[in-house]
Amino acid sequence: MRRSWKGWVVAAAVLGTCPAALAATQVEPRLRVSLEERYDDDFRLAADGQAGGQLMTKLTPRLGLDVRDETLKLESFYAADLLMRHGSGSLTLDHRGGLSVRKLLSRRLRVEASGSIYRVTDPASLPRDSVARSREPVLYGQSRVYVSGRATRRLDVGAGYGFEGVQVLAPGQVAGFVHTPFVEAWLRTTRRLSLGVEYRYQGFLYGDSFQQAHGVFGGLRYRLSRQTTFTARAGPVAFSGQEGTSGVIPRVKLELLHEARHFDLGIIAGHDLVGASGFTNALWADYAGMVLNKHFSDRVSVYGMASFFRNGRAPGHGVFSWGEDPTVAQGYALGAGLEFKVNRYVSMQAAVDRIAQVGMDEEATAGLNLTRNVAAIRLHMTAW
């Protein structure tokens, strides 16, 4: 009987260690190569910074390693994005990597950890809008650790820590960081309704500037159906800045999540404090987003997404200004795509995107035109 080389590697690992501990462990390497041809009129990525679209070719090899057993789920990846612009002849290389772990320590206690790091020339490819509006490369990272446990039959408690950091890789720019520890508790009052309470601390650091915030929030989670859940959080945030910029602002976060076999939908909206933007410290932020996936069959699916953001200097400078305000950054993104799976190893996509951002009156980003339209076709090939 023939075996793949992956099978021999796993078998050797099991034989060389404790059979009782590793008998159910699955170790799976991953390799996927994506080839994309796109038209992109992103002004920032043009070699001379002038207007004009270009045809581009993007090659992305992605390596991953997954480990699973009855109590553990680990997923990791590294991807390199090689972008060749036919019009200007320029070539860029971006790097992305990530790791996520879920571990059941007991029937009542669970640990989750995740982290990702990006070194990109295109900030629009980052997982958060409005980060580092610049023509320069950007180093960005985020991580989260969360420990949760069931205190009683109806009460769940948890504690976690989040981190976010960004550095514009240009002379004179300094790194910005946000540290966010938090604790929370959720009480299941009925089969559908849970009520929660949360305390959150935020420490914002940008160069020599340090700002902080304390927030106490109430939460509500209601299961509308087996597939649909609505979650709301709200409460005051006490912000303490420098030079008399302290104040109290509201935090609101609304989420609607629907997960079904053939249709997924996620909607989020809120107002909060954020940091790690690349050019300043803490910011207030309005945000909204929607993502949907529709599977017509095992082979054909479509997706769509839309997002919007506004932000300005904390605690609330320009928050009620809905016109053109040079102290307020705002933008939106729209996208849609069609995917066809040829088989389990090959799939094809067609996608269109529009991204628009207007930055604040920062000297480093003054005059940037961040509007772009992208049309792309992609071929994904999975080796294993």
Side-chain angles (χ1 to χ4, degrees):
M1 182 181 296
R2 297 182 61 187
R3 283 190 179 182
S4 68
W5 67 269
K6 292 184 293 181
W8 288 109
V9 171
V10 175
V14 172
L15 291 175
T17 55
C18 176
L22 295 179
T25 301
Q26 298 179 354
V27 181
E28 298 181 348
R30 304 288 187 185
L31 173 61
R32 188 177 77 170
V33 178
S34 300
L35 181 63
E36 174 182 315
E37 193 70 23
R38 65 159 70 174
Y39 175 85
D40 193 335
D41 60 9
D42 181 9
F43 303 161
R44 182 182 57 252
L45 295 182
D48 56 1
Q50 301 300 314
Q54 298 184 35
L55 289 173
M56 306 179 186
T57 299
K58 185 177 181 181
L59 178 65
T60 303
R62 177 185 171 111
L63 295 170
L65 181 68
D66 297 348
V67 180
R68 292 182 176 86
D69 63 23
E70 293 182 353
T71 64
L72 173 68
K73 180 179 180 182
L74 182 149
E75 298 177 340
S76 61
F77 79 93
Y78 164 76
D81 298 320
L82 183 65
L83 187 62
M84 297 162 280
R85 301 175 183 84
H86 305 312
S88 62
S90 59
L91 181 69
T92 58
L93 178 63
D94 291 350
H95 305 273
R96 296 177 287 121
L99 172 71
S100 65
V101 181
R102 292 184 179 181
K103 176 66 176 179
L104 295 177
L105 300 178
S106 68
R107 295 181 59 183
R108 291 176 173 265
L109 189 62
R110 180 175 66 179
V111 177
E112 302 176 23
S114 62
S116 57
I117 188 167
Y118 301 76
R119 198 278 188 188
V120 300
T121 55
D122 178 11
S125 64
L126 296 174
R128 202 192 87 192
D129 292 336
S130 79
V131 176
R133 300 169 296 276
S134 172
R135 289 193 182 99
E136 304 298 332
V138 178
L139 181 64
Y140 174 83
Q142 59 180 5
S143 62
R144 185 176 187 269
V145 178
Y146 183 66
V147 181
S148 61
R150 178 160 293 182
T152 67
R153 189 169 61 90
R154 291 191 174 187
L155 179 65
D156 293 335
V157 295
Y161 166 78
F163 168 83
E164 191 175 15
V166 63
Q167 167 76 71
V168 178
L169 302 178
Q173 298 298 326
V174 298
F177 306 98
V178 184
H179 302 274
T180 309
F182 63 93
V183 293
E184 64 179 2
W186 287 91
L187 177 66
R188 288 182 296 279
T189 58
T190 68
R191 295 181 60 183
R192 293 194 173 192
L193 178 64
S194 296
L195 300 178
V197 61
E198 176 189 1
Y199 165 76
R200 182 188 71 180
Y201 172 82
Q202 291 173 290
F204 304 93
L205 182 64
Y206 180 73
D208 296 330
S209 173
F210 176 74
Q211 300 170 333
Q212 59 183 334
H214 301 266
V216 179
F217 318 109
L220 179 150
R221 182 180 294 132
Y222 187 77
R223 186 172 294 277
L224 300 172
S225 68
R226 294 181 60 185
Q227 298 86 17
T228 308
T229 303
F230 172 75
T231 304
R233 299 173 189 257
V237 178
F239 173 75
S240 177
Q242 297 175 338
E243 300 177 357
T245 57
S246 301
V248 177
I249 68 170
R251 180 207 182 191
V252 179
K253 184 178 182 181
L254 307 175
E255 295 179 88
L256 180 67
L257 180 63
H258 176 84
E259 295 180 301
R261 180 179 179 184
H262 296 294
F263 180 70
D264 299 329
L265 173 67
I267 301 175
I268 186 171
H271 178 86
D272 205 349
L273 277 178
V274 298
S277 66
F279 295 100
T280 188
N281 211 345
L283 300 169
W284 61 262
D286 293 325
Y287 60 91
M290 180 182 70
V291 177
L292 63 88
N293 293 280
K294 171 64 177 177
H295 298 268
F296 294 98
S297 67
D298 292 337
R299 292 193 172 189
V300 180
S301 62
V302 297
Y303 72 87
M305 58 80 61
S307 65
F308 169 79
F309 77 89
R310 293 175 68 242
N311 55 43
R313 292 181 177 86
H317 188 76
V319 67
F320 297 111
S321 175
W322 288 95
E324 293 186 3
D325 188 335
T327 66
V328 176
Q330 57 187 345
Y332 67 88
L334 302 171
L338 169 68
E339 181 176 21
F340 174 72
K341 294 184 178 179
V342 180
N343 52 47
R344 61 178 297 187
Y345 301 105
V346 179
S347 64
M348 297 182 293
Q349 285 184 338
V352 292
D353 296 278
R354 177 174 173 82
I355 303 170
Q357 294 187 25
V358 178
M360 291 186 289
D361 57 350
E362 299 154 340
E363 181 180 353
T365 61
L368 282 184
N369 189 330
L370 303 182
T371 301
R372 64 193 296 187
N373 299 283
V374 181
I377 54 174
R378 306 182 182 103
L379 175 66
H380 302 296
M381 298 168 287
T382 302
W384 59 77

